[in-house]
Amino acid sequence: MFRGTKIVATVGPASSSPEMLRALIDAGVNVFRLNFSHGSAADHETLAARIRAASSDAQRIVALLGDLQGPKIRVARFRDGPVQLKTGSTFVLDTALDKEAGDIHQVGVDYPDLARDCRPGDTLLLNDGLIELRVLDIDGSRVRCDVVTGGTLSNNKGINRKGGGLTAAALTTKDREDIFLAAKLDLDYLALSFPRNAEDVELARRLYREAGGQGGMVAKIERAEAVADPQVLDDLIRASDGVMVARGDLAVEIGDAALVGVQKQIIARARALDRFVITATQMMESMISSPQPTRAEVSDVANAVLDGTDAVMLSGETAVGEYPVATVQAMHRIIRGAECSWQQHAPEQRQPDTLEAIDEAIAMAAMYVANHLRGVRAIIAMTETGATPKLMSRLRTGMPIFAFTPHPHTQRRVAIYRGVETIAFDNDAVPNAEINGLAVSELLNRGLVETGDRILITKGDYDKAHGGTNTLKIVTA
C-alpha cells in the first residue's frame, strides 16, 4: 500500500552502522537527519557516505537533512555534579561566573546577554521546562531568581524565556562553520535553528549558496516570536523551502496548552503557501526504551498526518533508542492507518481568484481531475526541479504522484514531499512521441498501475525547451 507521509530519522550511536542504516531504509525511512549539535565534521562525513551507500544498495532514494545547532542557551557546569533546586529557594544565573564553578546557589551561563534580555518578573524555564525560575532582580551579570518549580539541574541544560524575547542571533560561529560542512557534503536540506524572522533564513541561505550548497532551506519554528504574529510566521515560511514544527523549545516558550493549536496553524499555513512541513519532537518518545508506542503517541502521529504534515520526524528514538527499526515500522504502520481514514480522501481544492504561474495552474488542474475523474490511479509529473510535484502535493489526495526526472538532486529533493515518489527517467534519451508510452510502461512494469487505469501526465513542451510545465494529458495504461 502506498504511504504518502514521509519519515525523517535522526542518525546517532544507535543507528550509525551500515547494517542499521540499511535496515532503517528497508523499514521506510525517507530522509536521514544529521544533527550538527553532536559529533565532529569527520563523523558527519562518514555518516553521509554510509547513508548514500546504503541507499544505493537498497535502490531507494533517501534525502539528507543537516540540522544546525543554533544559539541554544545553556547553563554551564557544576563543580560537584548535579544539584537539586528546591522550590522557594533562590538561585543565581551569572554570565560572568567561572563555567566550572556551579553549585546549589549559582551557575554560569554561556549567553553573555542574558542579564540584558531579562526583567524582574520574567519566567525562565530550564531543562526543557521542567524547572521554572522567576526573575527577582538583576545586578550586573547576575540574574537572581526565585525557584518556582524545583528539580534536578545538571550540566549544559537549556534555558528558555517564557514568551520568547532572548535576542541571541540565529547563526553562531559554529553554525557558520557547519554551513560549509553542509555544502561540502552536498546535503539536500539544511535546517536553521531558532530563526526569528525571514531575514535570518535569507542570511543562512546566502551563506549556504556562497559556500557552494544547493540544498533547500528549512526554518525550524521554535521561538515564541515566530508564531506570535501571523505575518512574521508567513514571512518565515515564504523565505524557506520548508518548515519544521520543532515542538520542544516551542512548547517551552509558548506553553504546552497552546502547542497543539499552533502546530495545526503552522501546518495549514505551510501548505497554503506551497512549502513542505515536518512535525518533530517526541513523536514516539517512549520507544526509546519500549518496543511499542503509547496510545497517546499513536494519536499524535496520526493527527499530524490528518492535519496534512509532509513528514514526521524521529529524534532520540532512532539516534539513541533501543528499538530504532521497530520505531520506524510502528510509525509506518500508524501513518498508513491514518491515511486510510475517510478524512484523507475528501477532495481539497483551492479556489484562488487568479493564478500567475502556468505550472501552478497545471498542477491545480491535475489535482482537480485526479479527485473527480473516475478511474485515475496515478499522476506522472515530468520534472526538472521538482516544483510541479511539490505544488501538486499541497492538495490533499490519496493518489500517488510520481516525479519522473533524470536529476539525482531533484530525486532526493522530492523525497520529503507528501504523496510524491520518484522514478529516474531521462527525457533527453527518448523521442518526444514515445515519452508518454514509456513513462506509463515504467509504472506497469513496477506493478504500480494496471492495464486500463487512467494516468495523468504533466510535462513541459519538450519540442521547444526544457522546463516549465505547461501540459496536462490523460492517458490509459
Side-chain angles (χ1 to χ4, degrees):
M1 175 184 169
F2 175 75
R3 169 168 61 82
T5 308
K6 305 304 178 70
I7 296 175
V8 182
T10 302
V11 187
S15 52
S16 59
S17 71
E19 297 78 16
M20 182 58 74
L21 291 169
R22 172 59 193 268
L24 290 170
I25 292 171
D26 290 342
V29 171
N30 305 102
V31 182
F32 281 105
R33 170 180 173 247
L34 303 180
N35 185 359
F36 289 154
S37 296
H38 305 286
S40 66
D43 292 334
H44 295 303
E45 286 191 57
T46 299
L47 285 174
R50 285 180 181 174
I51 291 166
R52 289 187 170 127
S55 172
S56 177
D57 185 54
Q59 296 185 321
R60 290 273 306 278
I61 300 300
V62 175
L64 281 173
L65 165 71
D67 194 339
L68 299 175
Q69 177 174 290
K72 183 73 173 180
I73 299 167
R74 302 177 186 274
V75 301
R77 291 164 293 281
F78 294 91
R79 181 188 300 112
D80 300 315
V83 298
Q84 186 70 31
L85 300 187
K86 294 183 178 180
T87 300
S89 64
T90 300
F91 190 68
V92 174
L93 302 171
D94 188 348
T95 62
L97 187 69
D98 184 297
K99 296 301 186 285
E100 306 292 336
D103 58 28
I104 192 64
H105 304 292
Q106 59 186 351
V107 70
V109 177
D110 65 1
Y111 176 53
D113 291 331
L114 181 67
R116 187 190 68 182
D117 287 351
C118 289
R119 299 289 182 273
D122 284 353
T123 296
L124 297 178
L125 301 160
L126 280 59
N127 194 14
D128 293 330
L130 297 178
I131 295 173
E132 181 177 337
L133 309 179
R134 183 187 300 112
V135 176
L136 296 174
D137 55 59
I138 298 159
D139 181 13
S141 64
R142 294 168 57 83
V143 180
R144 192 169 68 92
C145 303
D146 175 43
V147 180
V148 177
T149 303
T152 302
L153 185 61
S154 57
N155 294 344
N156 304 315
K157 294 301 182 182
I159 303 173
N160 296 81
R161 179 180 179 273
K162 190 171 185 179
L166 297 179
T167 60
L171 286 173
T172 66
T173 300
K174 173 177 167 50
D175 293 331
R176 291 170 184 262
E177 294 170 353
D178 286 337
I179 284 174
F180 279 92
L181 175 62
K184 178 182 179 181
L185 298 181
D186 193 23
L187 300 186
D188 304 295
Y189 288 101
L190 182 64
L192 175 64
S193 296
F194 300 100
R196 297 162 297 183
N197 48 45
E199 289 73 21
D200 286 340
V201 181
E202 290 161 358
L203 172 61
R205 187 190 296 275
R206 178 174 62 79
L207 294 174
Y208 191 31
R209 293 292 179 262
E210 289 174 355
Q214 297 302 311
M217 289 299 305
V218 179
K220 294 171 66 177
I221 309 300
E222 51 192 339
R223 274 181 158 164
E225 298 95 320
V227 297
D229 183 336
Q231 188 60 55
V232 172
L233 176 61
D234 278 8
D235 289 345
L236 261 170
I237 294 170
R238 286 191 178 96
S240 312
D241 296 282
V243 297
M244 182 188 296
V245 190
R247 303 185 303 178
D249 284 284
L250 182 61
V252 172
E253 292 210 358
I254 67 174
D256 53 9
L259 179 64
V260 174
V262 169
Q263 173 179 314
K264 290 177 180 290
Q265 177 193 13
I266 295 169
I267 292 172
R269 291 309 298 157
R271 291 179 63 84
L273 295 171
D274 295 327
R275 303 298 191 267
F276 68 83
V277 55
I278 304 166
T279 304
T281 314
Q282 295 182 333
M283 302 219 74
M284 309 277 276
E285 184 84 353
S286 73
M287 290 195 73
I288 290 176
S289 57
S290 169
Q292 294 293 336
T294 67
R295 296 293 178 266
E297 289 166 341
V298 171
S299 294
D300 184 27
V301 173
N303 274 300
V305 172
L306 294 174
D307 287 340
T309 192
D310 286 83
V312 283
M313 192 175 96
L314 298 166
S315 298
E317 301 95 330
T318 51
V320 297
E322 297 177 28
Y323 305 97
V325 174
T327 304
V328 174
Q329 291 170 336
M331 185 167 268
H332 172 81
R333 183 175 67 248
I334 295 163
I335 292 170
R336 283 179 41 162
E339 290 179 347
C340 285
S341 167
W342 63 269
Q343 291 127 307
Q344 287 300 291
H345 298 281
E348 175 190 16
Q349 294 296 333
R350 297 186 207 163
Q351 295 181 340
D353 294 333
T354 59
L355 291 170
E356 296 183 1
I358 293 173
D359 59 347
E360 185 177 5
I362 294 294
M364 290 189 67
M367 300 314 290
Y368 184 89
V369 173
N371 283 327
H372 292 86
L373 179 64
R374 291 183 183 276
V376 177
R377 295 291 178 264
I379 302 164
I380 294 174
M382 306 283 185
T383 183
E384 294 287 308
T385 65
T388 301
K390 182 185 74 172
L391 291 168
M392 292 178 180
S393 72
R394 300 308 86 199
L395 297 174
R396 193 184 303 267
T397 178
M399 201 166 300
I401 302 162
F402 295 100
F404 278 48
T405 180
H407 307 300
H409 278 99
T410 301
Q411 286 193 289
R412 297 196 301 269
R413 180 74 68 91
V414 304
I416 204 166
Y417 300 157
R418 180 172 176 143
V420 178
E421 296 294 330
T422 185
I423 292 176
F425 189 85
D426 188 356
N427 297 293
D428 289 338
V430 180
N432 193 49
E434 299 177 18
I435 288 176
N436 291 349
L438 289 174
V440 171
S441 294
E442 281 282 346
L443 298 189
L444 285 168
N445 293 338
R446 294 167 184 250
L448 299 171
V449 297
E450 298 178 357
T451 301
D453 287 344
R454 284 174 167 165
I455 300 167
L456 307 183
I457 301 178
T458 66
K459 60 181 182 178
D461 187 353
Y462 288 97
D463 283 334
K464 297 178 181 178
H466 282 280
T469 299
N470 61 5
T471 304
L472 168 63
K473 290 190 176 183
I474 306 169
V475 301
T476 302

